[in-house]
Amino acid sequence: MTAFTADAEDTAVVKPRRRAAFAVTLVALTVLLAACLTAGLAVGSVHVPPAQVWGIVTHALGADWTEPTWTRARETIVLDVRGPRVLLGAVTGAGLAVVGTALQALVRNPLAEPYLLGVSSGASLGAVAVIVFGVSLFGTVSLSAAAFTGALGALVLVYAAARTGGRITSMRLILAGVAVASVLSALLNLLLLTTDNGNEARTVLAWTLGGLGGVSWGSLWLPGLALLLGIAVLMVQSPNLNLLLAGEEAAATMGLDVARFRARMFVLVSLVTGVLVAAAGPIGFVGLMLPHIVRLLVGGDHRRVLPAAALGGASFLVLADIAARTVAAPQEIPVGVLTALCGGPFFLWLMRRDARKKAGGAA
């Protein structure tokens, strides 16, 4: 048997195994998300048994396989109080995870994510400016439009500041993100301090910590649409994201117009981030942690990483929101605080790992 024939046989065996392993991982992540959604609807000040949760949901969808044995109050809690909140958590977590995955490929930096690069701060500033000044030029989507504009401006500014001599280092990118986020946060605080409406300022300040409360079914369509658009476009562009992993020169050699592709993707990730921040506030570190975690499960191919990250991010943020509602009950902790408590140590671990890799390469 020649070496060529042996390699072909190995490839023929390995690829089906990888596809099977990926399918199993997706099924496991889907089951995990279903369990998290059920827990999100069941857990709270009024506990609703999981069987009743499924009964209420399926009955609301028109299924007649079970007779209603629950009270009207429990149905209201599940469908109208917890339902929109849990769904927004899943949509936001999935969106932030796929955006973080895309950013890490676009700037070729494992530490990249919307919160650390100042994208969330730009979106927050745009959204708060609309709230404080009462701008309603685009009607109900004014908040999301302003958040998108702020997110895109912040991302372009960070990228321009970090790029020197045609190259971007991890340290320069993170420092530029921290600097831009600090300036934007200062401007946001200035807006809050100078507003005449104290109640409005307190509401906005609570929103800047990230939270999923106060959402209704009518406000979920825009985040859901942004998530579907983001995932669809990124899945189509996943081969190009894979090319960027080999470097800009290699991607250009393969026929990719790197500058144009990166500009289009920046607009897309800014749009998704802006809409999600407008709906849930700036929630950090989801886009940092989940891409790295799912790469350990499915490898580095973005055709596998993106759907796995979406499912994992949705589950993670739903679980974080459950903890936010129950850890200090009846007091509610902003979910952004809990994600930061998880993400901060993870970020430090990534930095130490990156430093060890560079030291090992230099040796």
Side-chain angles (χ1 to χ4, degrees):
M1 181 182 296
T2 65
F4 177 80
T5 305
D7 290 342
E9 290 183 355
D10 288 343
T11 302
V13 172
V14 169
K15 284 187 175 180
R17 286 179 179 175
R18 287 179 177 174
R19 285 195 291 267
F22 175 62
V24 170
T25 302
L26 277 190
V27 171
L29 289 174
T30 303
V31 171
L32 174 63
L33 177 58
C36 293
L37 293 174
T38 303
L41 295 174
V43 176
S45 57
V46 176
H47 178 73
V48 181
Q52 279 194 6
V53 167
W54 281 100
I56 292 170
V57 172
T58 55
H59 189 267
L61 294 175
D64 297 326
W65 61 273
T66 182
E67 287 294 326
T69 58
W70 50 84
T71 64
R72 178 63 180 170
R74 287 193 172 185
E75 183 175 337
T76 301
I77 290 172
V78 170
L79 296 180
D80 298 329
V81 178
R82 295 177 187 166
R85 177 175 186 146
V86 170
L87 189 57
L88 177 61
V91 169
T92 303
L96 292 176
V98 298
V99 165
T101 302
L103 280 175
Q104 288 168 14
L106 289 171
V107 301
R108 300 187 64 240
N109 191 315
L111 301 178
E113 73 108 23
Y115 193 80
L116 292 175
L117 294 187
V119 183
S120 294
S121 297
S124 299
L125 179 60
V128 169
V130 165
I131 296 173
V132 171
F133 295 119
V135 179
S136 57
L137 182 62
F138 300 104
T140 57
V141 299
S142 295
L143 196 69
S144 297
F148 159 65
T149 303
L152 180 59
L155 182 56
V156 171
L157 185 58
V158 169
Y159 185 77
R163 189 177 180 88
T164 303
R167 295 176 57 84
I168 297 178
T169 66
S170 299
M171 186 58 67
R172 278 205 302 266
L173 190 69
I174 297 302
L175 289 177
V178 170
V180 170
S182 298
V183 172
L184 296 177
S185 297
L187 292 175
L188 188 151
N189 291 330
L190 180 62
L191 283 178
L192 294 180
L193 288 173
T194 55
T195 184
D196 295 330
N197 192 330
N199 291 329
E200 185 178 78
R202 283 190 291 272
T203 301
V204 172
L205 182 60
W207 172 82
T208 58
L209 296 175
L212 305 174
V215 65
S216 63
W217 286 111
S219 61
L220 282 176
W221 68 271
L222 190 56
L225 182 62
L227 173 64
L228 293 177
L229 174 66
I231 291 179
V233 174
L234 289 174
M235 284 299 296
V236 171
Q237 297 296 334
S238 57
N240 291 330
L241 293 174
N242 289 339
L243 287 179
L244 280 179
L245 295 178
E248 293 186 15
E249 294 181 0
T253 303
M254 297 296 292
L256 179 64
D257 188 337
V258 176
R260 181 174 296 180
F261 172 71
R262 186 174 275 148
R264 292 198 301 263
M265 292 299 100
F266 278 175
V267 173
L268 177 68
V269 299
S270 298
L271 174 62
V272 176
T273 302
V275 172
L276 295 179
V277 168
I283 298 174
F285 296 101
V286 178
L288 174 69
M289 294 185 290
L290 270 301
H292 289 284
I293 293 172
V294 299
R295 285 191 191 103
L296 297 175
L297 301 175
V298 301
D301 189 339
H302 285 88
R303 291 170 295 184
R304 296 185 174 95
V305 175
L306 286 167
L311 292 171
S315 300
F316 172 77
L317 198 57
V318 171
L319 286 176
D321 185 55
I322 293 173
R325 288 188 276 128
T326 57
V327 166
Q331 182 80 18
E332 182 176 319
I333 301 173
V335 69
V337 173
L338 293 184
T339 60
L341 290 174
C342 296
F346 191 88
F347 174 71
L348 294 175
W349 173 77
L350 277 180
M351 287 188 64
R352 289 180 61 85
R353 188 192 68 172
D354 191 43
R356 286 196 298 267
K357 283 185 177 180
K358 290 181 178 179

